[in-house]
Amino acid sequence: RTEKLVFWGVLVLVVFLLFFRLGRHDVLTDDGHYALRALGYFDYMASKEQTTPVSWFGYRPAWSYLSFHDHPPLFFLAQHVFLKIFGTSVVATRLLSALAAIGSLLTTYQLGRRLTGSNRAGLVALVALAVSAYFLWMGRVGLIESLFTFLFLLGTLFLVRALQEEPRQFLWSGFFFGLAFLTKYTILLALPGLGLYLLWRHRAVLRTRHFWLGLLVFVLLMSPVIIYNVAMFQARGHFDVQFADLF
């Protein structure tokens, strides 16, 4: 009973802190230009320093709809849907981040329970995340990180489930890791660590059919960004902003 009270108490508190006067603070920097581009799902910035395909060609090539020049497309597409459903407002531009933050909180709780077999450990993880000022701020602005964190945590949760009980969960892990890639390329920095962990502690799963099917799902979800960058290289001789910097 005490654990349930703590769980619901923390959840209600975080929901209040995320949604209380959500549209009050000003829209600044990335918060604003992400919303502008998501509104019409239109990759354009009025900047000579960071031009986009529509600036180069005077129109949008078909391949340019598959991604954006500085980030993958999923956040902009999801925010575009939210703006279509809830109308054009500051709250609507931040609603996706707030809901993703709640999802991250619940997923962290489940991860804590899964990794330790203890409800109390899940509650400790829940409370630790709930009192993080950066986590709360991330859920109150229209930036990419909140959605990315939620999808990455979901991928990790299904990876743990696959390792503990059901190999078919590798497919869901690959699915959510793929969506995380379509949200922000930061996942490419995290996946090598997970791969090394599997080699170290769970090498046997690398010989299972479900692991490779999950990897295939991940690669298939990457394909819009791959096609975008290949087409851009053919047309312009370089990749998008992030991969051009990387290479």
Side-chain angles (χ1 to χ4, degrees):
R1 182 180 179 183
T2 302
E3 291 174 355
K4 289 182 179 179
L5 288 173
V6 172
F7 174 85
W8 287 108
V10 171
L11 186 61
V12 169
L13 176 62
V14 170
V15 169
F16 171 76
L17 292 174
L18 287 172
F19 285 94
F20 178 67
R21 303 176 83 179
L22 184 58
R24 169 73 174 179
H25 51 287
D26 292 336
V27 176
L28 300 171
T29 60
D30 289 350
D31 198 6
H33 75 72
Y34 289 172
L36 176 66
R37 291 191 286 169
L39 182 62
Y41 193 72
F42 190 76
D43 187 18
Y44 173 76
M45 294 180 63
S47 168
K48 294 181 180 179
E49 286 74 31
Q50 187 170 315
T51 55
T52 61
V54 71
S55 306
W56 313 331
F57 301 108
Y59 67 95
R60 298 180 72 184
W63 52 264
S64 70
Y65 288 86
L66 295 175
S67 188
F68 278 55
H69 192 40
D70 55 346
H71 291 293
L74 185 60
F75 177 82
F76 300 100
L77 181 61
Q79 196 175 62
H80 175 72
V81 172
F82 270 68
L83 290 167
K84 285 287 187 182
I85 294 173
F86 300 104
T88 306
S89 70
V90 174
V91 171
T93 66
R94 294 169 177 163
L95 188 58
L96 175 63
S97 294
L99 293 175
I102 296 170
S104 294
L105 195 71
L106 297 174
T107 307
T108 298
Y109 170 72
Q110 291 296 331
L111 267 172
R113 294 179 61 202
R114 282 273 172 184
L115 291 170
T116 64
S118 166
N119 288 340
R120 290 189 177 183
L123 286 174
V124 170
L126 182 82
V127 173
L129 187 60
V131 298
S132 167
Y134 185 75
F135 167 73
L136 292 172
W137 170 81
M138 191 170 64
R140 287 179 56 84
V141 291
L143 300 182
I144 293 173
E145 283 72 17
S146 186
L147 179 61
F148 168 77
T149 301
F150 173 49
L151 293 171
F152 181 76
L153 286 171
L154 270 179
T156 306
L157 176 62
F158 280 100
L159 177 63
V160 171
R161 292 182 61 179
L163 295 174
Q164 287 182 344
E165 60 184 34
E166 182 49 69
R168 284 183 294 182
Q169 302 298 328
F170 277 122
L171 277 73
W172 284 108
S173 182
F175 176 74
F176 286 113
F177 280 146
L179 292 183
F181 174 85
L182 289 179
T183 305
K184 193 165 186 178
Y185 297 138
T186 311
I187 192 174
L188 296 178
L189 302 176
L191 290 181
L194 292 176
L196 288 174
Y197 171 74
L198 293 178
L199 282 171
W200 176 40
R201 298 296 298 271
H202 299 278
R203 192 172 301 178
V205 304
L206 303 181
R207 297 190 293 269
T208 64
R209 177 172 59 93
H210 292 104
F211 172 81
W212 292 104
L213 286 174
L215 186 61
L216 177 62
V217 170
F218 175 72
V219 173
L220 287 175
L221 283 169
M222 291 173 62
S223 59
V225 170
I226 295 172
I227 295 170
Y228 177 94
N229 276 279
V230 169
M232 176 174 289
F233 192 85
Q234 291 175 339
R236 301 289 294 182
H238 61 79
F239 299 117
D240 69 18
V241 169
Q242 307 294 353
F243 283 109
D245 285 347
L246 177 65
F247 293 112

